[in-house]
């Protein structure tokens, strides 16, 4: 095991859609020009970053910026075309099929925007499902599942099915399933974007609470700067497949790198001013 302070290190990652054979492509300026001439879509463009152990690393940007593609490339749910994805000293891009399956089962858990729950399995069965795939015995996996179900506030709902749950409760099940796996890295791809504002705020509070307890390494994808600032220790802003700024949320707000980031910061500051104004009126 690599004992460095960084759990994940991504180097010069590229992903292109619309062109089938890019074997041997080194993504020089000539290669990129050829891809663009052939109308290829560069979804991830020469992306590099590192994630420290125990931090919440937020990737944010508008729809189509490449953030969800990037998250899926880290697990090779989408195969990158070029670059390295180092996890605890191992290059994920070089893993064989069985190695990759074991890596996904044991090292990483993912929470999707649309929950990804199995409709014909109960809450308990959904939370324990990843452990079942690992071959954990039923009594043990159900005991672990019940423990994390309690921690996300769903005690009493173990025998219910997903269609009996609200959106916020379904998202809690997704988080509980990820926590039950006790994976080293938790990837959350816009997990709260389908929730109404009040429940979304509650789920953010829940993640902050759980993070204090579990100290997980989290990659959190969002298009909402307010959410990124609230949750993130470090933040990468993406545009057109490229990271245009990376730093602490405070640094990004104080020193936006370009006009694109400045627009995000401006919206965030306006929201903060409106919220402060509303609080003054309410307390008057």
């Amino acid at each position: 095991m690599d004992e460095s302070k960084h759990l994940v290190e991504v180097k010069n990652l590229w992903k292109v859609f619309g062109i089938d054979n890019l074997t041997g492509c080194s993504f020089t300026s000539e290669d990129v020009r050829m891809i663009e001439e052939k109308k290829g879509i560069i979804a991830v463009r020469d992306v590099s970053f590192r994630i420290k152990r125990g931090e919440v690393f937020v990737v944010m940007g508008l729809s189509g910026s490449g953030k969800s593609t990037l998250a899926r490339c880290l697990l090779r749910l989408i195969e990158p075309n070029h670059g390295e994805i180092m996890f605890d000293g191992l290059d994920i891009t070089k893993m064989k099929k069985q190695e990759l399956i074991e890596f996904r089962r044991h090292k990483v858990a993912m929470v999707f925007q649309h929950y990804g729950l199995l409709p014909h399995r109960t809450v308990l069965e959904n939370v324990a499902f990843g452990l079942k795939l690992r071959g954990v015995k039923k009594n043990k996996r159900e005991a672990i599942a019940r423990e994390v179900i309690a921690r996300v506030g769903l005690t009493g709902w173990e025998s219910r099915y997903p269609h009996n749950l609200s959106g916020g409760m379904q998202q809690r099940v997704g988080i509980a399933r990820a926590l039950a796996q006790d994976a080293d890295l938790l990837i959350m791809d816009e997990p709260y974007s389908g929730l109404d504002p009040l429940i979304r705020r509650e789920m953010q509070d829940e993640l902050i609470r759980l993070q204090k307890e579990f100290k997980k390494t989290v990659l959190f994808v969002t298009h909402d700067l307010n959410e990124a600032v609230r949750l993130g220790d470090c933040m990468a802003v993406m545009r057109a497949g490229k990271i245009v700024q990376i730093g602490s949320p405070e640094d990004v707000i104080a020193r936006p790198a370009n006009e694109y980031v400045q627009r995000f910061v401006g919206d965030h500051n306006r929201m903060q001013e409106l919220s402060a104004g509303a609080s003054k009126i309410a307390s008057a």
Side-chain angles (χ1 to χ4, degrees):
M1 178 177 176
D2 184 354
E3 295 297 337
S4 73
K5 67 178 181 178
H6 293 100
L7 179 66
V8 178
E9 184 169 5
V10 175
K11 301 177 183 178
N12 308 117
L13 198 68
W14 293 78
K15 177 59 189 177
V16 176
F17 293 107
I19 299 179
D20 292 333
N21 186 11
L22 288 171
T23 303
C25 179
S26 57
F27 290 89
T28 63
S29 57
E30 288 294 322
D31 293 329
V32 172
R33 189 177 302 113
M34 175 274 293
I35 290 166
E36 292 173 341
E37 286 174 354
K38 291 185 176 181
K39 307 301 182 185
I41 298 171
I42 303 177
V44 176
R45 184 186 294 259
D46 198 21
V47 164
S48 299
F49 61 90
R50 297 189 294 179
I51 304 176
K52 294 179 182 177
R53 298 175 189 273
E55 82 172 345
V56 178
F57 185 96
V58 176
V59 179
M60 67 157 296
L62 297 176
S63 178
S65 62
K67 56 191 187 298
S68 290
T69 299
L70 173 61
R72 283 161 171 74
C73 281
L74 298 186
L75 296 181
R76 285 176 56 195
L77 296 174
I78 294 174
E79 286 286 353
N81 297 108
H82 181 76
E84 292 182 358
I85 305 168
M86 304 300 296
F87 184 96
D88 228 1
L90 299 175
D91 191 346
I92 297 169
T93 65
K94 291 182 168 58
M95 288 182 178
K96 304 297 184 185
K97 183 177 180 180
Q98 192 57 42
E99 287 180 286
L100 188 58
I101 289 172
E102 291 302 309
F103 169 77
R104 290 172 180 165
R105 286 181 179 174
H106 293 271
K107 296 296 184 180
V108 184
M110 192 160 186
V111 181
F112 295 94
Q113 177 181 345
H114 299 294
Y115 321 129
L117 302 184
L118 302 168
H120 303 300
R121 293 181 184 269
T122 65
V123 167
L124 183 66
E125 290 168 338
N126 266 284
V127 173
F129 188 69
L131 298 175
K132 182 179 181 180
L133 292 178
R134 289 187 191 176
V136 176
K137 291 183 179 180
K138 184 176 181 180
N139 287 347
K140 183 175 181 180
R141 69 176 183 255
E142 289 191 351
I144 294 170
R146 289 182 189 279
E147 181 180 344
V148 293
I149 285 169
R151 289 184 176 181
V152 300
L154 288 178
T155 298
W157 293 83
E158 292 88 347
S159 62
R160 301 295 185 94
Y161 290 87
H163 69 269
N164 298 131
L165 309 179
S166 68
M169 294 172 79
Q170 289 184 44
Q171 194 56 270
R172 287 174 189 265
V173 176
I175 292 171
R177 180 175 58 193
L179 292 173
Q181 293 179 242
D182 195 26
D184 296 333
L185 176 65
L186 179 59
I187 296 178
M188 306 182 76
D189 186 8
E190 299 212 52
Y192 307 147
S193 63
L195 304 176
D196 65 49
L198 180 59
I199 295 175
R200 183 171 186 159
R201 180 80 175 189
E202 290 175 354
M203 293 306 300
Q204 291 170 2
D205 291 340
E206 184 72 9
L207 179 60
I208 291 169
R209 182 185 70 79
L210 290 170
Q211 179 62 4
K212 287 179 180 177
E213 180 178 355
F214 288 92
K215 298 287 191 272
K216 290 294 181 184
T217 306
V218 181
L219 184 139
F220 192 100
V221 175
T222 183
H223 62 268
D224 185 332
L225 179 63
N226 297 314
E227 184 167 70
V229 170
R230 189 154 190 256
L231 299 178
D233 300 307
C234 186
M235 180 166 67
V237 183
M238 292 190 72
R239 183 184 191 186
K242 192 173 182 65
I243 290 179
V244 296
Q245 186 167 1
I246 189 166
S248 70
E250 295 78 13
D251 287 342
V252 173
I253 289 171
R255 290 174 287 276
N258 56 30
E259 184 182 352
Y260 177 76
V261 181
Q262 177 65 56
R263 290 205 304 272
F264 278 113
V265 171
D267 289 342
H268 172 75
N269 290 338
R270 281 191 293 275
M271 288 296 293
Q272 294 295 98
E273 289 169 5
L274 287 172
S275 178
S279 296
K280 288 179 181 179
I281 292 170
S283 60

